[in-house]
């Protein structure tokens, strides 16, 4: 026959539209198949691509950590830069030095819009002359070149999609550089003064509606005191983070690079209990705790990737093996900055009118959005590792609340449970949810409370290791609503 084809039917792919798969048994051409009167269209084999926004930076494939935290998924929505209302997002980085002219950092270096370069005048009247990109607390506006500070900065904000190097969690962000001295006498004093600088600049921004200061949303502390000193709730260090939080500034702090339990021996600043600080431990590509990394079920909030991290380094170079909690922490700081760039006018407006509440909201989204991993059970408060995409989903409900919601508890996992359960629930609003656990004869054995993140599903961890084996009931109470779910303790 003129239209006979040497092909063989294999399977029906979509019967409702008569879509079938055939195997070509000879050199029958596509054009010949298309001419057959029973054929409407020929679709040849093609590869399937994930439609995530991938930068053209040549070393992006080496950045395994960005894949773990699912950064590419959120880049479909935002790559950083500004809030929905146009406020330039700033991350303050405290380090011993920086190469701010690095080819992959210079475009993301913060420029003080209220300071005239090198005119010898304190134009913005903040006490610092020519603080154009930040400040070196040696007493000048230039910076000592340092590989550690350069690498930390790159994880937060290497310029993305510029055809060189790799990319940061943010492709576009303002990096504000603050250099402290490393000697025992001056180091802590410089850090205290740096935090004061951050506080005053953000406070000015809030009070002037963006006409003065800087919209600093997070600081990065990839450092800590050399001794394992507890950070007390009423102490100076914790007071600093509380004060920063009042004006809307969160802090990501690195847990010690030492296999200690911070709950037992303490650490500063990562062990500070402030609700405006996120303590970060270090994990590898296999989702295991770094062998030289600290942990703490109460003191440490979450984990982030921190071994063999591709990052910028000095002399316009790159280091594919930067590691430690120093590398884990800027992933969290970068994630916080990225969340503020979501296309959410409510988040942007609230960041100025209710800065402390908004900062705490973003912090809860970071913690509620973690990917819970068995390897981290008992090692940090969330039993999880940073996932910025999940955190974005947490905030989307805040940006687009759904009316008519009711309090609900969806799951308790694992169930049966041995030591720590994760409870997935949905709150009515953002007010406190009371948690009560009863045994099988109705005795109250646990009482606690949580603040929900969003008006969709939130999660919290429940420690039950001290309970005897048996059947229990967890009750959630908010306003006039109550919900109960049963679980079994092994």
């Amino acid at each position: 026959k003129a239209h006979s084809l040497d092909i063989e039917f294999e399977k029906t792919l979509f019967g409702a539209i008569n879509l079938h798969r055939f195997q070509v048994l000879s050199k029958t051409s596509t054009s010949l198949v298309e001419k057959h009167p029973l054929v409407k269209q020929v679709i040849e084999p093609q590869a399937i691509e994930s439609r995530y926004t991938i930068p053209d930076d040549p070393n992006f494939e080496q950045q395994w950590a960005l894949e773990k935290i699912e950064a590419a998924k959120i880049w479909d929505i935002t790559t950083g830069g500004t809030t929905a209302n146009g406020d330039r997002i700033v991350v303050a980085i405290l380090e011993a030095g920086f190469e701010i002219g690095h080819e992959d950092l210079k475009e993301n270096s913060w420029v003080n819009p209220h300071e005239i370069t090198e005119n010898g005048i304190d134009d913005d009247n903040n006490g610092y002359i020519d603080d154009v990109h930040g400040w070196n607390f040696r007493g000048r506006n230039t910076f000592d070149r340092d590989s550690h500070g350069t690498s930390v900065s790159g994880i937060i904000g290497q310029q993305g999609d510029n055809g060189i190097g790799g990319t940061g969690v943010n492709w576009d962000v303002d990096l504000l550089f603050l250099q402290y001295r490393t000697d025992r006498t001056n180091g802590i004093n410089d850090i205290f003064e740096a935090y004061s600088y951050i506080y005053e600049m953000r406070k000015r921004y809030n009070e002037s509606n963006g006409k003065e200061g800087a919209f600093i949303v997070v600081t990065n502390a990839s450092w800590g005191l050399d001794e394992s000193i507890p950070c007390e709730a009423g102490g100076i260090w914790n007071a600093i983070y509380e004060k920063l939080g009042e004006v809307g500034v969160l802090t990501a702090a690195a847990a010690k690079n030492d296999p200690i339990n911070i709950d037992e021996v303490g650490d500063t600043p990562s062990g500070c209990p402030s609700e405006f600080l996120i303590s970060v431990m270090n994990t590898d590509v296999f989702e295991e705790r770094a062998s030289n990394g600290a942990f703490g079920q109460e003191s440490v909030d979450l984990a982030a990737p921190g071994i063999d991290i591709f990052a910028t380094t000095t002399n316009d170079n790159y280091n594919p093996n930067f590691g430690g909690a120093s590398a884990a922490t800027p992933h969290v700081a970068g994630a916080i900055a990225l969340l503020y760039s979501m296309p959410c006018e409510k988040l942007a407006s609230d960041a100025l009118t209710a800065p402390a509440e908004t900062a705490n909201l973003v912090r809860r989204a970071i913690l509620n959005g973690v990917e819970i991993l068995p390897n981290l059970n008992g090692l940090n408060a969330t039993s999880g590792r940073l996932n910025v995409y999940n955190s974005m989903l947490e905030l989307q409900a805040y940006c687009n609340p759904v009316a008519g919601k009711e309090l609900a508890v969806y799951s308790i996992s694992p169930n049966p449970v041995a030591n720590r359960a994760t409870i997935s629930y949905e709150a009515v609003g953002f007010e406190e949810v009371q948690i009560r656990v009863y045994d099988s004869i109705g005795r109250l054995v646990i009482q606690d409370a949580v603040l929900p993140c969003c008006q969709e599903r939130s999660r919290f961890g429940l420690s039950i290791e001290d309970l005897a084996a048996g059947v229990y009931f967890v009750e959630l109470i908010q306003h006039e609503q109550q919900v109960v779910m049963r679980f079994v303790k092994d």
Side-chain angles (χ1 to χ4, degrees):
K1 296 179 182 180
H3 295 291
S4 64
L5 302 173
D6 193 12
I7 60 176
E8 183 177 278
F9 173 79
E10 286 193 349
K11 64 188 299 187
T12 297
L13 301 176
F14 196 158
I17 61 171
N18 290 315
L19 181 61
H20 310 283
R21 176 174 172 168
F22 290 84
Q23 181 182 4
V24 178
L25 300 177
S26 65
K27 294 183 179 180
T28 301
S29 67
T30 300
S31 60
L32 184 60
V33 176
E34 287 179 324
K35 292 177 181 178
H36 195 285
L38 297 179
V39 176
K40 182 176 182 180
Q41 182 182 358
V42 174
I43 300 177
E44 297 188 84
Q46 297 178 21
I48 303 298
E49 65 175 7
S50 297
R51 290 296 175 88
Y52 302 148
T53 301
I54 303 299
D56 65 7
D57 307 272
N59 297 105
F60 174 70
E61 290 185 357
Q62 298 182 48
Q63 296 184 277
W64 66 269
L66 295 177
E67 180 180 355
K68 288 287 186 185
I69 68 172
E70 296 198 288
K73 286 187 177 181
I74 195 172
W75 291 337
D76 284 339
I77 298 169
T78 177
T79 55
T82 65
T83 69
N85 292 344
D87 299 289
R88 284 294 304 175
I89 297 166
V90 183
V91 178
I93 307 168
L94 284 66
E95 282 288 337
F98 313 88
E99 185 177 297
I100 70 170
H102 190 288
E103 62 177 3
D104 227 0
L105 294 178
K106 59 186 179 182
E107 296 301 322
N108 282 345
S109 296
W110 175 71
V111 177
N112 187 343
H114 311 294
E115 195 73 30
I116 299 173
T117 306
E118 302 298 333
N119 69 346
I121 299 172
D122 180 12
D123 299 287
D124 60 358
N125 197 32
N126 69 348
Y128 298 89
I129 296 173
D130 294 333
D131 55 323
V132 177
H133 300 292
W135 192 252
N136 180 348
F137 288 91
R138 291 183 186 274
R140 54 180 183 261
N141 64 349
T142 57
F143 301 94
D144 300 325
R145 184 177 289 173
D146 177 83
S147 60
H148 188 275
T150 304
S151 294
V152 167
S153 302
I155 292 170
I156 297 168
Q158 290 179 71
Q159 185 182 3
D161 209 40
N162 64 345
I164 57 174
T167 185
V169 178
N170 298 266
W171 297 10
D172 178 18
V173 68
D174 282 1
L175 305 172
L176 193 162
F177 304 105
L178 296 169
Q179 181 181 330
Y180 58 80
R181 288 168 286 186
T182 57
D183 61 280
R184 192 176 185 88
T185 302
N186 295 301
I188 290 179
N189 292 332
D190 289 352
I191 287 172
F192 289 163
E193 190 174 350
Y195 280 138
S196 178
Y197 179 98
I198 294 164
Y199 171 78
E200 294 296 338
M201 292 294 277
R202 178 59 194 270
K203 184 170 181 283
R204 281 186 173 205
Y205 197 91
N206 296 343
E207 294 175 349
S208 67
N209 198 28
K211 295 178 181 178
E212 299 178 13
F215 185 61
I216 305 167
V217 300
V218 63
T219 78
N220 190 86
S222 287
W223 47 265
L225 302 188
D226 59 354
E227 299 177 25
S228 296
I229 299 174
C231 180
E232 304 294 341
I236 292 296
W237 282 99
N238 199 65
I240 288 171
Y241 299 115
E242 289 290 300
K243 185 58 69 172
L244 289 171
E246 286 180 11
V247 294
V249 180
L250 295 170
T251 292
K256 201 173 184 67
N257 287 320
D258 192 7
I260 60 171
N261 187 335
I262 295 176
D263 294 348
E264 297 176 356
V265 301
D267 186 44
T268 299
S270 77
C272 290
S274 172
E275 289 298 310
F276 297 101
L277 181 140
I278 299 177
S279 178
V280 187
M281 64 181 286
N282 175 19
T283 49
D284 62 19
V285 69
F286 302 108
E287 310 282 28
E288 298 280 357
R289 175 181 68 88
S291 60
N292 67 337
F295 56 94
Q297 187 169 352
E298 296 180 4
S299 303
V300 178
D301 292 302
L302 81 173
I307 294 179
D308 292 335
I309 302 301
F310 182 92
T312 45
T313 191
T314 51
N315 299 314
D316 273 346
N317 286 326
Y318 300 86
N319 178 7
N321 303 119
F322 184 58
S326 290
T329 306
H331 284 98
V332 176
I336 290 168
L338 192 61
L339 291 178
Y340 271 94
S341 73
M342 287 174 56
C344 174
E345 292 182 6
K346 179 174 173 56
L347 182 68
S349 298
D350 289 353
L352 295 181
T353 59
E357 294 80 359
T358 306
N360 201 259
L361 174 76
V362 172
R363 179 181 184 270
R364 296 201 304 272
I366 290 286
L367 300 185
N368 286 341
V370 298
E371 188 167 337
I372 296 174
L373 301 169
N375 293 341
L376 300 178
N377 186 35
L379 298 180
N380 65 47
T382 59
S383 298
R385 186 252 305 134
L386 174 71
N387 185 307
V388 66
Y389 178 70
N390 286 348
S391 296
M392 181 201 68
L393 296 180
E394 294 277 344
L395 282 177
Q396 278 186 335
Y398 168 79
C399 297
N400 302 290
V402 179
K405 291 290 185 180
E406 294 185 354
L407 182 67
V409 57
Y410 293 105
S411 66
I412 300 176
S413 62
N415 191 7
V417 56
N419 296 313
R420 188 173 180 82
T422 298
I423 298 176
S424 174
Y425 72 101
E426 185 172 15
V428 178
F430 304 109
E431 289 81 9
E432 188 175 74
V433 176
Q434 297 292 320
I435 302 158
R436 297 173 184 172
V437 177
Y438 299 90
D439 64 15
S440 58
I441 61 174
R443 292 177 301 186
L444 180 65
V445 292
I446 295 176
Q447 187 166 357
D448 203 348
V450 293
L451 286 172
C453 167
C454 307
Q455 288 178 308
E456 288 187 352
R457 295 193 186 191
S458 297
R459 292 175 292 180
F460 66 87
L462 184 66
S463 177
I464 60 169
E465 57 188 351
D466 294 332
L467 299 182
V471 176
Y472 293 87
F473 299 88
V474 61
E475 179 185 44
L476 273 60
I477 304 171
Q478 188 186 43
H479 305 303
E480 301 299 321
Q481 297 192 39
Q482 296 173 284
V483 290
V484 178
M485 181 170 278
R486 174 183 176 275
F487 69 91
V488 176
K489 166 69 187 297
D490 281 340

